[in-house]
Each structure stands twice: as structure tokens, then as C-alpha cells.
Amino acid sequence: MEPNYYILLGAPGAGKGTQAAMLVLALGIPHVASGDLFREHLSKGTELGLLAKQYMDEGKLVPDDVTVRMVLDRLAQPDCAKGAILDGFPRTIAQAQALERALSANGQRIKAALYIKVSTEELLRRLGGRYTCKNCGAVYHIVFDPPKQPGVCDKCGGPLYQRADDTPETAKKRLDVYFQQTAPLIEYYRQQGLLREIDGEQPIEAVHAALLKVIRGE
Ligand code: AP5
Ligand code: MG
Ligand code: ZN
């Protein structure tokens, strides 16, 4: 069977990570998140992690070459043979083109770019109340999606923390960078007939249902 590669497109705080975790269970393909991969590198103290940190702390994008290499290496792992849910990648036109080249070299292609649309006001509310698991990367929200026990991950019992780039100042910077460098991908995928738009301002379960409906309609 042809592998299914889905791209989750959307601003910081749109719910890409939240929805990807749910899609993993529904579709049985792995979640590949460039931001999570950078954070894993950083927690291990690798050279790549330390390089990425300089950009992430300022809300800027990590350079395309290192980002593309890291994600394509991940996609070459055996568990991605049936496809993957890409979250936070591609984030520039150059990254999108590099992904297409790599897939088409293997006779593969992107199935759909799923654009989760959320207003800027709501994005800032979500980023301001987000808590992330240090262990497994699961995300929570203090109001919209609280853990059963404060400060503790429901899934693995790990400790929850607030991401360094979720401060109001850095979050705003990330949104600026998104509108400048990533939002053009919406038009890019629309022109290729791959764009599917989902209203991301509904409750988490409703967004999930909307995504599944679109995916199953493919
Ligand atoms: P990355 O980790 O990708 O962050 P991001 O794109 O800024 O996205 P977020 O993780 O902030 O948001 P999300 O959409 O996953 O939302 P979530 O599900 O958590 O990137 C971080 C940095 O790494 C970048 O700034 C850059 O430096 C670097 N980087 C990464 N990829 C790169 C690339 N390709 N190229 C270059 N640099 C790269 O949800 C947010 C909150 O809202 C949570 O609290 C959640 O509980 C809540 N929530 C979710 N859905 C709902 C809902 N429907 N209703 C109410 N609350 C909700
Ligand atoms: Mg995320
Ligand atoms: Zn956890």
C-alpha cells in the first residue's frame, strides 16, 4: 500500500501536537514533529540541539539545511514506512520542496496538507496556558485540557513544564515568523490541490472528528 504522509499546517498554538497525538492512535502511523525532535536533541545536549536552541529561544526558525536533514533522517526510519503525520514541518517553501524531492525519489507523495485555522487572539490564549510533559511531550492546557493531577502527565506520570518559548514576548515573535515564513505554504498547497481547511477553534474532540472526516474522505 502507498504510504500516507499528512502535513499538519497551522500557527503556533493551533493544536498540531494535540491533534497529531490523537491521529497516531486513529491512523497507526507515527507523529514526526520537528520541534519535538529539536527539544529531544536539546535535552540530550547534542550539537544540533544546542544550535537549535539559539533560534528557538528567540522564536526564529532553525536554518533549513539542518532542519531538512533531521526530518528526512527521521522519515527514513522503518516505522515511517507506512507514512507519517508531519507536525511543524515543512515551515518554509524551501523545506516543502526538499520534502517533495525526497518523497518523489521513492515514488511517494504527500496525501494532504491539513490546515488547522485559529484566530491570533485564541492562539495567544492557548500558548499562555500550555503545559508540556518533560518525558513524553504530551501537551495540556491549564483551562482547556487540564491534566487529572496538576503538574503530572496523565499518559506517563512525567513532570509538566512551560516551554521557554511560550512567554508572551517570544510567542508573539513566533506568530510573526509564522505569518511571514510559513503562512505562504497555505497558498502553495492550495495551488497543488492538497490543502484541506479545518476550523481549529472548536473543542479538541470536534477538531479531531473534522480531521478524520477529511482524511477518510481522501
Ligand atoms: P514547534 O514545537 O513546532 O512549535 P509551533 O509550531 O510554534 O507549534 P506549537 O507546538 O507551539 O503549537 P501546536 O500547534 O503544536 O499546539 P498544541 O497542540 O501544543 O516549534 C518550536 C520551535 O522549533 C520553532 O519556533 C523553531 O525555532 C523550531 N522549529 C520547529 N520546526 C521547525 C522547522 N520546520 N523549521 C525551522 N525551525 C523549526 O496546542 C497548544 C495549546 O492549546 C495546548 O495547551 C493545548 O492543550 C491547547 N489546545 C489545543 N487544541 C485546542 C482546542 N481545540 N481548544 C482549546 N485548547 C486547545
Ligand atoms: Mg507542537
Ligand atoms: Zn508524559
Side-chain angles (χ1 to χ4, degrees):
M1 210 182 75
E2 198 186 328
N4 292 321
Y5 293 100
Y6 295 101
I7 294 169
L8 287 179
L9 211 59
K16 302 181 297 293
T18 301
Q19 294 300 327
M22 297 168 86
L23 289 176
V24 164
L25 302 175
L27 304 177
I29 51 177
H31 173 198
V32 174
S34 42
D36 291 353
L37 293 172
F38 285 133
R39 282 183 288 275
E40 269 168 41
H41 272 279
L42 184 58
S43 72
K44 289 183 191 144
T46 71
E47 209 176 303
L48 173 59
L50 294 172
L51 172 85
K53 180 177 165 31
Q54 298 171 20
Y55 296 91
M56 295 171 84
D57 281 352
E58 288 188 35
K60 293 183 183 159
L61 295 186
V62 180
D64 284 337
D65 54 346
V66 285
T67 304
V68 165
R69 211 173 315 134
M70 174 184 73
V71 175
L72 293 184
D73 279 352
R74 176 68 190 89
L75 290 177
Q77 302 294 309
D79 64 324
C80 292
K82 285 195 214 143
I85 302 152
L86 286 161
D87 157 8
F89 180 92
R91 239 193 183 71
T92 62
I93 302 274
Q95 291 180 15
Q97 290 170 337
L99 174 65
E100 260 159 56
R101 276 197 298 275
L103 292 182
S104 68
N106 296 319
Q108 298 166 349
R109 60 185 185 92
I110 291 151
K111 197 95 196 233
L114 308 162
Y115 169 38
I116 307 178
K117 203 173 167 180
V118 175
S119 68
T120 305
E121 206 191 7
E122 172 72 8
L123 293 171
L124 289 170
R125 242 194 318 266
R126 289 186 186 179
L127 294 174
R130 170 166 58 187
Y131 284 82
T132 304
C133 175
K134 195 109 215 163
N135 244 357
C136 76
V139 287
Y140 299 88
H141 190 282
I142 190 124
V143 178
F144 306 133
D145 188 16
K148 292 198 181 78
Q149 205 184 321
V152 181
C153 178
D154 291 353
K155 294 181 178 97
C156 77
L160 304 183
Y161 76 106
Q162 283 191 287
R163 266 170 53 178
D165 60 351
D166 278 348
T167 58
E169 194 194 335
T170 311
K172 282 203 193 80
K173 172 73 186 163
R174 283 159 58 210
L175 287 179
D176 287 346
V177 167
Y178 167 79
F179 287 115
Q180 278 178 29
Q181 304 192 53
T182 306
L185 286 175
I186 297 166
E187 223 23 70
Y188 179 83
Y189 285 117
R190 200 194 310 274
Q191 277 169 18
Q192 295 186 29
L194 291 173
L195 194 80
R196 306 287 179 269
E197 236 177 86
I198 286 97
D199 173 8
E201 224 146 316
Q202 318 169 72
I204 292 172
E205 283 296 338
V207 177
H208 177 60
L211 278 166
L212 276 186
K213 196 170 162 204
V214 165
I215 288 169
R216 303 229 151 109
E218 286 299 311

